[in-house]
Amino acid sequence: MDENQSEQNETLTEDQRFEDLQEYHVTPPGDPEFPELEFLFEKESSSLVSPLDVKSPLTPELESEKASTPTDTASITPKWNWGAFAFPLFFGVAHRSYLGLLILLAAIPWVGPIFGLVWSIIFGFYGEKWTLENRDNGYRDEEEFRKIMSGWNRAGLVGFIIGLVLVVLLGLLAIVFFIVFINRIPAGQEHFFNP
């Protein structure tokens, strides 16, 4: 019986064979990113796979996950984020809003610290907005988004307070050091500061 089928296949022209295959042309359900994946099933009865046996390439868990990702994040309103303000580099990389990497320009002498402060403020205002614009993040709903952002807000606020305390302490230490240094100058050498 197999010999008869192989003889029949050999006698068919390429056009006839292509027409036969088109009758059983099936596009699998599933990932819309790969619509070019198509399965062609032969008309022959000896085929191991029938069109009815085709299942989605995604498992049920992945299908439900894919269905639960939002397509519209317009209902979520972005707010000020302390995490984006205090840690723009880490926040940007973690949430795929790579504009946070511009904080690296703060290393430029003279202008860099001013740019760094301004960029941190801008990123604090717009960090959540830029995070929501990236569809790869895939937040299911506003509750999940707010839960993630509240952790960043707490960490950023703590980081900002610790940084502020350190800056104040370093300023006070510099003032004390300068006062002590001036008081230890021997008499007659004050001209060092007044040329």
Side-chain angles (χ1 to χ4, degrees):
M1 187 168 167
D2 290 332
E3 292 176 13
N4 291 338
Q5 288 178 352
S6 64
E7 287 175 14
Q8 287 175 352
N9 287 342
E10 290 175 6
T11 58
L12 293 175
T13 65
E14 286 297 318
D15 293 333
Q16 290 172 338
R17 188 164 172 78
F18 184 70
E19 289 173 9
D20 290 343
L21 289 175
Q22 290 233 334
E23 290 179 26
Y24 294 101
H25 177 251
V26 177
T27 302
D31 200 350
E33 292 180 10
F34 300 100
E36 68 272 1
L37 292 178
E38 298 172 341
F39 296 117
L40 297 174
F41 299 99
E42 295 187 19
K43 190 175 181 178
E44 301 168 0
S45 61
S46 66
S47 175
L48 297 174
V49 180
S50 72
L52 300 175
D53 292 338
V54 176
K55 294 189 169 102
S56 172
L58 299 175
T59 60
E61 298 85 29
L62 292 176
E63 284 179 357
S64 65
E65 238 177 67
K66 195 166 186 76
S68 67
T69 57
T71 55
D72 183 29
T73 56
S75 63
I76 301 174
T77 55
K79 301 176 182 176
W80 168 265
N81 192 305
W82 283 103
F85 170 74
F87 309 115
L89 177 69
F90 302 115
F91 184 90
V93 170
H95 297 288
R96 298 182 184 126
S97 52
Y98 297 111
L99 286 171
L101 295 175
L102 287 176
I103 197 66
L104 294 174
L105 295 176
I108 297 173
W110 304 106
V111 182
I114 296 168
F115 174 79
L117 179 63
V118 170
W119 185 248
S120 290
I121 292 170
I122 291 171
F123 207 66
F125 278 114
Y126 292 106
E128 285 188 7
K129 178 181 179 259
W130 292 330
T131 297
L132 287 170
E133 286 175 357
N134 188 347
R135 295 202 178 270
D136 291 338
N137 290 329
Y139 299 107
R140 289 189 297 255
D141 54 6
E142 186 170 4
E143 181 183 345
E144 178 190 23
F145 180 74
R146 286 291 153 220
K147 185 177 179 182
I148 292 170
M149 291 301 134
S150 70
W152 277 98
N153 272 321
R154 283 191 301 267
L157 188 58
V158 167
F160 174 72
I161 291 171
I162 290 173
L164 192 62
V165 167
L166 287 175
V167 166
V168 169
L169 286 177
L170 285 174
L172 290 174
L173 185 65
I175 290 170
V176 168
F177 178 76
F178 190 70
I179 290 173
V180 168
F181 180 72
I182 287 185
N183 286 338
R184 292 193 178 222
I185 296 176
Q189 292 185 0
E190 293 90 14
H191 70 291
F192 177 76
F193 292 103
N194 298 325

